[in-house]
Amino acid sequence: QVQLQESGPGLVKPSQTLSLTCTVSGDSISNGGYSWSWIRQHPGKGLEWIGSIFYNGGTYSNPSLKSRFTISLDTSKNQFSLRLTSVTAADTAVYYCARGTIFGMTIAYFDYWGQGTLVPVSS
Amino acid sequence: DIQMTQSPSTLSASVGDRVTITCRASQSISRWLAWYQQKPGKAPKLLIYKGSSLESGVPSRFSGSGSGTEFTLTISSLQPDDFATYYCQQYQSYSTFGQGTNVDIK
């Protein structure tokens, strides 16, 4: 059974950097058949795909978002991470990590999700 | 960017009703569409992928159809566990979600 678990700070101050980690069990992130993704949901709103990373470190990012996001892999720990710089209150959201299937050479749908972690941005 | 528009935004229904949710894409996405169910405080759950393929373990009362720019999710007989918010997602080009359809009790 594939499981994903997000971890990170409970609160981030404006202008700081947010770092989140997703720990994967039941599958290897080195598995070439999947992507590893971050998706967020602003309070009371819909879902927004942030970006995805493949086993070889290749990344896809949401072109509608400014390039403040970085996604990276740590295969030794079977984890992947999200880093968001210069946060503002608009970045307050529940952040989900998810496993994505692959469509051609890019991302497809998300079949396993973490439970999500709420990250408030406030001074 | 490909925009996804769901309708209606809210749908009130009773147990046993047939429910249909529509998702429209701003350009053709072939059949590269998925549907998810989300309950309050929980992560989304994959229901349908590639427009009409049922994810393993999902009840057969859920079905998807469509191609190109118009897609539907149908629940043939609404059950108490189905009251939730439903999202469509395109993966023709990157990934975009619809704004969601909340199915609540009539």
Side-chain angles (χ1 to χ4, degrees):
Chain A
Q1 175 75 357
V2 178
Q3 294 184 320
L4 297 93
Q5 177 68 58
E6 304 89 353
S7 58
L11 178 69
V12 181
K13 292 183 178 356
S15 80
Q16 290 187 339
T17 295
L18 165 65
S19 294
L20 293 172
T21 296
C22 183
T23 301
V24 179
S25 59
D27 193 8
S28 169
I29 61 172
S30 300
N31 184 339
Y34 298 99
S35 67
W36 305 95
S37 304
W38 289 96
I39 296 150
R40 69 179 179 180
Q41 187 169 33
H42 293 101
K45 303 296 184 183
L47 300 162
E48 180 178 49
W49 170 70
I50 298 170
S52 303
I53 191 165
F54 293 86
Y55 73 100
N56 60 1
T59 57
Y60 281 88
S61 298
N62 188 331
S64 298
L65 299 176
K66 294 182 180 178
S67 56
R68 296 184 295 124
F69 297 93
T70 303
I71 299 175
S72 59
L73 289 175
D74 186 340
T75 55
S76 67
K77 296 180 180 178
N78 216 38
Q79 296 175 333
F80 62 104
S81 298
L82 174 70
R83 190 168 178 269
L84 172 59
T85 59
S86 305
V87 298
T88 69
D91 294 309
T92 293
V94 174
Y95 286 78
Y96 294 100
C97 60
R99 188 182 82 168
T101 57
I102 294 178
F103 160 54
M105 295 297 290
T106 184
I107 59 169
Y109 52 90
F110 307 104
D111 57 356
Y112 287 95
W113 296 62
Q115 64 185 24
T117 185
L118 174 63
V119 181
V121 176
S122 174
S123 54
Chain B
D1 293 7
I2 299 177
Q3 307 300 318
M4 306 301 293
T5 304
Q6 289 182 232
S7 59
S9 295
T10 303
L11 187 160
S12 297
S14 302
V15 172
D17 284 352
R18 182 181 181 88
V19 167
T20 299
I21 299 168
T22 298
C23 180
R24 289 185 174 87
S26 59
Q27 64 189 72
S28 177
I29 58 170
S30 185
R31 299 187 68 184
W32 308 123
L33 184 105
W35 290 97
Y36 300 84
Q37 176 193 68
Q38 186 179 33
K39 296 183 179 179
K42 300 294 185 183
K45 172 188 174 184
L46 176 67
L47 301 175
I48 302 281
Y49 60 94
K50 207 166 74 175
S52 60
S53 296
L54 193 68
E55 173 71 348
S56 176
V58 174
S60 59
R61 62 181 181 273
F62 291 93
S63 64
S65 64
S67 65
T69 61
E70 187 155 333
F71 300 83
T72 58
L73 173 70
T74 300
I75 308 172
S76 60
S77 178
L78 196 67
Q79 298 302 300
D81 191 49
D82 301 338
F83 292 99
T85 300
Y86 294 85
Y87 293 94
C88 62
Q89 175 225 352
Q90 69 81 18
Y91 49 95
Q92 161 73 20
S93 175
Y94 297 104
S95 176
T96 318
F97 292 88
Q99 82 280 14
T101 295
N102 182 41
V103 178
D104 63 17
I105 300 173
K106 190 172 184 180

